[in-house]
Amino acid sequence: MVKTEIHTHVGIISLNHPEKLNALSREMVHDLVAAFESFKADGIRVIILKAEPNKSNVWSAGHFIPDLPEDHEDPLGYNDPLEVLLRSIQRYPGPVLTQVHGSVWGGACDLIMTTDISICDPTATFAITPAKLGVPYNASGIGHFIARLGTNQAKEMFFTARPVDAITAEKWGIVNHLVEEDQLEPYTMEMAQHITTLSPLSIHVIKEQFRILANSQALSADVFEKIEGLRTMVWESKDYHEGLKAFREKRKPDFTGE
Ligand code: YXS
């Protein structure tokens, strides 16, 4: 479900499941994590993550919704495949760049927030959608958005679940650069190749410090348990089941807040 290529010290990973709009299924995430591991073993210094085109012009549709559990289980727990992928991006010893053409949804938007540098073209949009499905988003994920955007914009994205267009995404800092469609690939590759000429050890250690500093806000056990209690209430709710059922039945959900 992914394609990989290597150009000297740059590794390219492309999401490649057009039939399901590159939704992040268990299988796709497994292949992605394996690609990161293999690039790490080969000493690849910079990774570009991109997506093969599809008819809907979707970069990724986010979590593969049929994988979300319906049996009283945390849908975004520590061992959820997407969470495992986000940690492998954060711990990759070199920068992970995303090259975005098309719309980005839900968990894939969290993935963009977790990568190191993002570049998009005017077709890109970004939406974070738990409120459309009744999903209790997790604290680490909300933290990724606050870190990248600040609280005001992060709240707007979560509370409206509306796609943010490419111009706004650049203004808000979701992406570092918005470039013309025909420049997306060369611009991203030039930046990646430039980074490979710099000290990989220095960059690795700086990236690790960014990761540690971003997680340096300690939560007390009490606060952590409170957050988990609140989230449990949501995934055990009627709304969560209604959100998943409505997706299966291809209709709008009818949420009651129960
Ligand atoms: O009916 P078939 O078999 O052809 O499959 C359809 C869709 O069911 C499938 N598909 C997905 N399958 C699993 N998980 C998904 N997230 C997903 N999205 C799409 O792909 C086939 C083509 O989709 P279709 O016919 O709807 O294409 P379209 O061009 O009419 O519409 C494109 C979209 C992206 C607007 C539409 O597919 C859509 O709204 N997809 C869901 C986007 C979304 O809300 N993603 C969030 C996933 S949940 C998640 O990431 C977190 C848990 S959270 O929400 O908390 O952030």
Side-chain angles (χ1 to χ4, degrees):
M1 290 199 179
V2 304
K3 285 187 186 172
T4 59
E5 305 165 48
I6 294 178
H7 292 264
T8 324
H9 295 300
V10 178
I12 302 177
I13 304 178
S14 306
L15 310 179
N16 185 32
H17 192 194
E19 300 78 13
K20 297 291 179 186
L21 312 181
N22 295 326
L24 299 163
S25 60
R26 281 178 196 287
E27 294 78 12
M28 179 180 276
V29 170
H30 173 272
D31 290 359
L32 283 166
V33 171
F36 276 98
E37 287 301 317
S38 148
F39 281 163
K40 190 157 119 185
D42 289 346
I44 295 296
R45 295 183 185 179
V46 180
I47 292 182
I48 297 175
L49 186 56
K50 61 180 200 172
E52 292 297 311
N54 51 64
K55 66 172 175 51
S56 303
N57 210 15
V58 173
W59 191 86
S60 168
H63 248 90
F64 188 72
I65 294 172
D67 283 350
L68 293 174
E70 292 202 56
D71 46 2
H72 306 281
E73 216 184 291
D74 187 345
L76 297 175
Y78 190 77
N79 291 321
D80 174 71
L82 182 65
E83 299 302 315
V84 175
L85 173 62
L86 299 187
R87 290 196 295 276
S88 61
I89 291 170
Q90 288 168 328
R91 290 186 160 84
Y92 191 80
V96 178
L97 277 50
T98 36
Q99 178 182 313
V100 186
H101 171 85
S103 58
V104 180
W105 301 86
C109 193
D110 197 349
L111 178 111
I112 299 287
M113 302 293 165
T114 305
T115 56
D116 299 300
I117 298 171
S118 295
I119 297 152
C120 77
D121 72 18
T123 65
T125 62
F126 302 85
I128 182 70
T129 50
K132 271 174 64 183
L133 283 163
V135 168
Y137 218 73
N138 54 19
S140 60
I142 293 171
H144 300 151
F145 284 76
I146 296 174
R148 184 72 69 102
L149 302 176
T151 304
N152 286 2
Q153 285 82 12
K155 280 187 176 171
E156 183 172 330
M157 287 190 78
F158 275 99
F159 295 166
T160 67
R162 282 194 178 136
V164 171
D165 65 32
I167 293 175
T168 311
E170 189 188 34
K171 197 163 87 190
W172 286 2
I174 297 174
V175 297
N176 296 62
H177 301 283
L178 164 61
V179 299
E180 290 306 323
E181 202 171 323
D182 62 354
Q183 288 306 303
L184 182 62
E185 193 139 349
Y187 189 98
T188 312
M189 181 53 94
E190 190 283 327
M191 187 185 286
Q193 280 171 336
H194 169 67
I195 295 171
T196 66
T197 64
L198 306 173
S199 160
L201 188 57
S202 166
I203 289 176
H204 173 193
V205 170
I206 292 168
K207 176 167 168 171
E208 183 61 1
Q209 289 176 87
F210 270 110
R211 189 183 71 76
I212 292 167
L213 290 172
N215 292 315
S216 61
Q217 201 182 357
L219 285 185
S220 69
D222 188 45
V223 170
F224 176 75
E225 280 164 14
K226 180 174 178 191
I227 290 175
E228 285 311 286
L230 289 168
R231 294 186 57 249
T232 305
M233 187 176 74
V234 181
W235 82 67
E236 299 215 317
S237 69
K238 283 189 185 162
D239 275 3
Y240 174 64
H241 293 281
E242 166 63 5
L244 298 186
K245 193 161 176 274
F247 178 81
R248 273 198 305 276
E249 294 169 2
K250 297 186 189 277
R251 62 170 171 82
K252 263 186 173 317
D254 177 17
F255 292 130
T256 60
E258 292 167 77

